[in-house]
Amino acid sequence: MSAGTPRRINAGTVSNEPAPASVFTIPAASPATTNKPTPVRSRVIRRPTARKSATCKAALVKWQRPTTQPRGVGQSVFCAARGSGARERSRRQAFVCGRGARRTWPSPACLFAGTDVREKAQTKIARWPMSVRGAVLYNFFEPLKVESVKLRAPRPDEVVVKMAASGVCHSDLSVQQAKLPFPPPVILGHEGAGIVEEVGKEVTGLKPGDHVVLAWVQSCGRCAYCIEGEEHLCDAAIKAMMAGEETAFEKDGMAISRMAGVGSFAERTLVRASACVKIPEEVPLDKACLVGCGVMTGVGAVTNTAKVRPGQTVAVFGCGGVGLNVIQGAVLCGAGRIIAVDLVEKKLQWAREFGATDTINAKQTTDVPDAIRSLTDGRGVDFAFEVIGMPEVIGQAFLSLRRGGKVVVVGVPGFDQTVQLPASAIPLEEKSVLGSLYGSARMRRDMPKLLELYMQKRLKLDELISRRISLDQVNEAFAAMESGEVARSVIVYS
Ligand SMILES: [Zn+2]
Ligand SMILES: [Zn+2]
């Protein structure tokens, strides 16, 4: 071996084997020193050469730890993130890619870099833009078009999520019907769960392989609302949503945005890291996705917004996907009487299965508030939840209250609609109206708790799923939702 031949670092010694191109290299020792082991800590890794040569040619192949003991355990290595002069006393790890190429990298726990250098490396191996199939709304009132689109590369604060499942929520339909401000072209879907595939350079606390539910409010953690614990009202998130979403997809040069920072009607999507709520791997993702919107909105309206106490009485107007979750939220809180109101007998049957003690078919009842009073000793209910988004129904809910009762408006009326209420009842009967957005949730606190209740079989998620469909059937799911046939259709990705 000539004096200039690079050598390979090997468990505290320098081997005589010629080093492959994909490992860090060090200057070769002189022939006089090759007979005795050379401490690695006395060597300097030439960082620019080393980093370049460490690039794996097998792009898109996941790095995996070797099953054998990593080489060089306990030896001192140099921190590539800080530079060749900085030394990190830690375990040196070897990674093997799917094609057999081998490289070394400093420990992920690099104190100088402050982030996981292994994750940073992974953001570089994918090829962008990536082709994915998605359901695009090109024009209001038109069916979604399921086709191949391009997903752009993640920004430093973004995460690529491979979707496992997405619920089809009524708000998706509302966007298609121009009732919510997400202008086309847009990839709909905001009730998703999946697996983190890649993370941007500035992302901490998430790594490829993490199971996540996606939150459609991405709270900043710094504004006045977030500091007060009202993350669902985050100033930055609401402003970003109202200003129009950043584009994440593209088709033939046309930028396509993602609904509510999520866009879960696509095989893969890009989200801000703050959208990801990490969940345990044992929770099935096709159930977990429902917590991303409908379950959090419904249960949270009872537990967070209204804070129903045991024994209190509750009326629920509208027993669709969210209304059923209001009912099971009331059950969780120990509500006494739970009165479900709907026009569709099938939904009232679901309501009974989810815990309603009484049901009222509004089609067959001339005076619903009067019927509710007659079920509550003539007083009215403590809380009336409106889960439809119709001003007239908000009025009916108000009339169903006892003195001091509260209407909780969960359904979203049209932006141009107004509500008429008997004004004197507000001070003289101390009746009030509360709004509830996203179940007044603190997403990272509440969503894992809901899934814990599901795992304990105290929260119904399986029963919410009426149909499991493919992405191509999304327009049929919209039609089924409009006709009241389903509580939830869930798109399951292969
Ligand atoms: Zn929703
Ligand atoms: Zn905020």
Coordinates of all heavy atoms in Angstrom, one line a residue, residues 21 33 37 46 110 117 144 158 180 192 230 314 338 370 450 463:
A21 N -15.4 4.0 -1.5 CA -15.6 5.4 -1.7 C -16.6 6.0 -0.8 O -16.6 7.2 -0.6 CB -16.0 5.6 -3.2
T33 N 4.2 2.7 11.0 CA 3.2 2.7 12.1 C 2.1 1.7 11.9 O 1.2 1.6 12.7 CB 2.6 4.1 12.2 OG1 1.9 4.4 11.0 CG2 3.6 5.2 12.4
P37 N -1.9 -0.8 16.5 CA -3.2 0.0 16.4 C -3.0 1.4 16.6 O -2.2 1.9 17.5 CB -4.0 -0.6 17.5 CG -3.4 -1.9 17.9 CD -1.9 -1.8 17.6
R46 N -11.1 14.6 7.2 CA -11.2 15.7 6.2 C -12.6 15.9 5.8 O -13.1 15.1 5.0 CB -10.3 15.5 5.1 CG -8.8 15.6 5.5 CD -7.9 15.5 4.3 NE -8.1 14.2 3.7 CZ -7.3 13.7 2.8 NH1 -6.2 14.3 2.4 NH2 -7.5 12.5 2.3
C110 N -25.9 14.6 18.3 CA -24.8 15.5 18.2 C -25.1 16.8 19.0 O -26.0 17.5 18.6 CB -24.6 15.9 16.8 SG -23.4 17.2 16.6
V117 N -28.6 14.7 12.8 CA -27.9 14.8 11.5 C -28.3 13.7 10.6 O -28.3 13.8 9.4 CB -26.4 14.9 11.6 CG1 -26.0 16.2 12.3 CG2 -25.9 13.7 12.4
L144 N -64.4 16.2 -7.9 CA -63.0 16.2 -7.7 C -62.4 15.3 -8.8 O -63.0 14.3 -9.2 CB -62.6 15.6 -6.4 CG -63.2 16.3 -5.1 CD1 -62.5 15.7 -3.9 CD2 -63.1 17.8 -5.2
E158 N -41.1 21.8 7.2 CA -42.2 20.9 6.7 C -41.8 19.4 6.8 O -40.7 19.1 6.9 CB -42.6 21.2 5.2 CG -43.3 22.6 5.1 CD -43.7 22.9 3.7 OE1 -42.9 22.5 2.8 OE2 -44.8 23.5 3.5
L180 N -66.7 27.4 2.1 CA -65.5 27.6 3.0 C -64.4 28.2 2.1 O -64.3 27.8 0.9 CB -65.1 26.3 3.6 CG -65.9 25.9 4.8 CD1 -65.4 24.5 5.3 CD2 -65.8 26.9 6.0
G192 N -56.8 13.5 8.3 CA -55.9 12.4 7.9 C -54.9 11.9 8.9 O -54.7 12.6 9.9
E230 N -55.1 28.7 24.0 CA -56.1 28.6 22.9 C -55.5 28.3 21.6 O -55.6 29.1 20.7 CB -57.0 29.8 22.9 CG -57.7 30.1 24.3 CD -58.3 31.4 24.4 OE1 -57.8 32.4 23.8 OE2 -59.4 31.5 25.0
V314 N -78.5 17.5 28.0 CA -77.9 17.9 26.7 C -78.9 17.6 25.6 O -79.5 16.5 25.6 CB -76.6 17.1 26.5 CG1 -76.1 17.2 25.1 CG2 -75.5 17.6 27.5
I338 N -79.6 12.8 27.3 CA -79.0 13.2 26.1 C -80.0 13.0 25.0 O -80.4 11.9 24.6 CB -77.7 12.3 25.7 CG1 -76.7 12.4 26.9 CG2 -77.1 12.8 24.4 CD1 -75.5 11.4 26.7
D370 N -90.4 22.6 22.5 CA -91.5 22.2 23.4 C -91.3 20.7 23.8 O -91.4 20.3 24.9 CB -92.8 22.4 22.8 CG -93.9 22.3 23.8 OD1 -93.8 22.9 24.9 OD2 -94.9 21.5 23.6
L450 N -57.8 11.1 23.4 CA -58.9 10.5 22.7 C -58.6 9.1 22.2 O -59.4 8.2 22.4 CB -59.4 11.4 21.6 CG -60.1 12.7 22.0 CD1 -60.4 13.6 20.8 CD2 -61.4 12.4 22.8
E463 N -67.3 2.3 14.9 CA -68.7 2.4 14.6 C -69.0 3.7 13.8 O -70.1 3.8 13.2 CB -69.5 2.5 15.9 CG -69.5 1.2 16.8 CD -68.2 1.1 17.7 OE1 -67.3 1.9 17.5 OE2 -68.1 0.2 18.5

